[in-house]
Every structure is written in C-alpha cells, then in structure tokens.
C-alpha cells in the first residue's frame, strides 16, 4: 500500500473503517458465490446479487454520509447498526440459498418463517436508517465539492423510491402468503424489481460522478451542467422503471 493511501486509511475513523471492511467482505462473498454458482449452478439473484448490492451500498453510505451535517456520534451509531443489518440480510439470504429454498416470503416451515421474518424486520431497519440520512441531507446543505449537494440530495431522494418499492414488494408478498398463495407471493415481486434495482444505487453513482468531476479541469458551470444532466437521466430511468412496474403490477 502506498504511503499516501496508508496515511489516508489510518486517518479514517474506526467506525468508517469497520463499515468499509464489512462492505468489502460482503462484495467478496457475492463474487465468491458467483464463481461457485457458475460451476455448480445456483440462485444468481440470491447471494450474488445481494452480496454485491449490500456491500456496495454499505461502502457508499459510509462515504456519502461524511458530507452530511450529522453529529459524529449519531452518524457512527447509525452506521454500525446499518453495517450489522447488512450482514444479517446477506447472511440470511445466503443461508437459504445453500438450503435451496427461497429466502424472502418463505413461510413453509417454522425455520423458514423465522428467517423470512428476520429479513423483513431487517429491511424495516434499513428503511428507517436510510430515511434518517435522507432527511438529514435535506435539512442542512451537504458539504463537498461543486455539485456534491445536488448529487447527494438527488441520490437520497431516488433511494427513497427504492425503499418504497422494496417495502411494497414485501407487503404484497406477505399478504399473499398469509392468504394461502405462497407460490404467487414468490412471483409477486417481479414487476417492482427493476425499479428497486435502478433506484437503489443512485446514492453511489451520482456522488461518485460529482467527486470525479471535481478532479477535472472543467469550469464550474460545465461541471454543474454535467451533474444536472446526470440527475435528469437517472430520474428518467427511474420513471421508466416505475411506468413499467405500474403497467405490469
């Protein structure tokens, strides 16, 4: 590791370091399962997708919240809970994948119900934590380079769409399961998955673009226009996924 990178790493707060390492482990878990299932066959949309998604999201949230005007202790506490919840979610999904049974909305046995409900509660915790960060981004103007406030606020606003679509998938699936339509519950989430997936990572993509633009020689006006165009394109993609979900729901 280069001295500059080593110094930067040691300058990171312990909580942030923990979250970055945990996120990296989750990403590596997803990649490991990608290799295993490529050889042996398996649910590609289980440990692979969720390991990569949760790992990247944890790393992204840890990074972008450093630009929010949130108390250090409060932010650290929220990040620790968020990291633990990400581990629980990926762990439960991975466990059920190795058992060759669905992880979400699976209430066919007592054990499956316990895992499914744990994941549902964990999802609720994620919604609360990320909503707190989203509200904080709008209460006080975020810091950072030119374009970062717009990128952060837009990213969190779009993330709320992901949270809402995820909650809708769980709610509809639970209703179908409780009314005796277990198989229908498994398939009920399909219309909202594209919307959920597209909107989930805006909070990483848009701030990352703002950070990259801050290292270019472009004028402030040009960088601001690029960020605005990127936000518009991302919003259009989310709108398109939302229309498709409404038509196929």
């Amino acid at each position: 590791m280069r001295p500059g990178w080593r110094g930067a790493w040691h300058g990171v707060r312990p909580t942030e370091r923990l979250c970055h390492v945990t996120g990296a482990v989750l990403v590596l878990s997803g990649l490991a399962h990608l290799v295993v299932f490529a050889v042996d066959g398996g649910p590609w949309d289980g440990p692979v997708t969720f390991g990569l998604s949760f790992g990247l999201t944890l790393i992204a949230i840890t990074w972008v919240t450093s630009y929010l005007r949130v108390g250090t202790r409060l932010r650290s506490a929220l990040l620790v809970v968020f990291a633990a919840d990400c581990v629980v979610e990926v762990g439960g999904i991975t466990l059920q994948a190795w058992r060759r049974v669905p992880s979400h909305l699976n209430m066919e046995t007592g054990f499956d119900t316990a895992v499914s409900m744990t994941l549902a509660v964990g999802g609720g915790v994620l919604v609360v934590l990320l909503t707190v960060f989203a509200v904080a981004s709008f209460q006080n103007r975020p810091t950072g380079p030119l374009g970062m406030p717009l990128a952060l606020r837009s990213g969190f606003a779009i993330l709320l769409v992901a949270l809402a679509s995820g909650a809708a998938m769980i709610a509809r699936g639970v209703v179908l399961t409780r009314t005796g339509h277990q198989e229908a519950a498994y398939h009920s989430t399909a219309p909202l998955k594209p919307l959920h997936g597209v909107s989930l990572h805006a909070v990483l993509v848009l701030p990352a673009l703002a950070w990259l633009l801050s290292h270019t020689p472009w004028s402030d006006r040009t960088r601001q226009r690029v960020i605005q165009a990127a936000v518009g394109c991302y919003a259009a993609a989310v709108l398109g996924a939302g229309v498709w979900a409404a038509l196929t729901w």
Side-chain angles (χ1 to χ4, degrees), residues 97-112:
W98 281 100
R99 294 181 64 236
R100 303 287 183 175
V101 296
S103 56
H104 291 80
L105 308 175
N106 183 359
M107 300 183 185
E108 297 186 15
T109 69
F111 181 80
D112 292 330

Side-chain angles (χ1 to χ4, degrees), residues 209-227:
L209 176 60
W211 181 84
L212 289 172
L213 288 173
S214 70
H215 290 77
T216 67
W218 297 350
S219 67
D220 290 352
R221 186 177 182 181
T222 299
R223 282 185 284 159
Q224 190 70 22
R225 285 184 172 180
V226 171
I227 286 294

Side-chain angles (χ1 to χ4, degrees), residues 181-230:
H181 302 88
Q182 184 66 68
E183 285 300 320
Y186 292 148
H187 301 290
S188 66
T189 60
L192 287 174
K193 280 185 176 180
L195 175 62
H196 183 70
V198 170
S199 54
L200 186 62
H201 295 295
V203 75
L204 169 60
V205 174
L206 296 176
L209 176 60
W211 181 84
L212 289 172
L213 288 173
S214 70
H215 290 77
T216 67
W218 297 350
S219 67
D220 290 352
R221 186 177 182 181
T222 299
R223 282 185 284 159
Q224 190 70 22
R225 285 184 172 180
V226 171
I227 286 294
Q228 291 171 347

Side-chain angles (χ1 to χ4, degrees), residues 125-217:
V125 173
L126 292 177
V127 170
V128 172
L129 294 174
L130 293 174
T131 300
V132 170
F133 284 132
V135 171
S137 72
F138 285 94
Q139 281 185 328
N140 298 290
R141 183 178 175 83
T143 61
L146 180 71
M148 185 62 76
L150 174 61
L152 278 171
R153 286 174 168 175
S154 300
F156 273 114
I158 294 173
L159 178 62
L160 292 178
V161 175
L163 299 180
S165 59
M169 285 191 287
I170 293 175
R172 187 183 188 190
V174 169
V175 170
L176 289 172
T177 299
R178 294 300 187 187
T179 55
H181 302 88
Q182 184 66 68
E183 285 300 320
Y186 292 148
H187 301 290
S188 66
T189 60
L192 287 174
K193 280 185 176 180
L195 175 62
H196 183 70
V198 170
S199 54
L200 186 62
H201 295 295
V203 75
L204 169 60
V205 174
L206 296 176
L209 176 60
W211 181 84
L212 289 172
L213 288 173
S214 70
H215 290 77
T216 67

Side-chain angles (χ1 to χ4, degrees), residues 56-79:
L56 289 174
T57 300
L58 175 55
I59 293 171
I61 293 298
T62 303
W63 171 54
V64 301
T65 54
S66 65
Y67 295 107
L68 301 182
R69 300 181 187 275
V70 180
T72 302
R73 290 185 178 180
L74 175 60
R75 174 172 171 262
S76 295
L78 293 176
L79 286 177

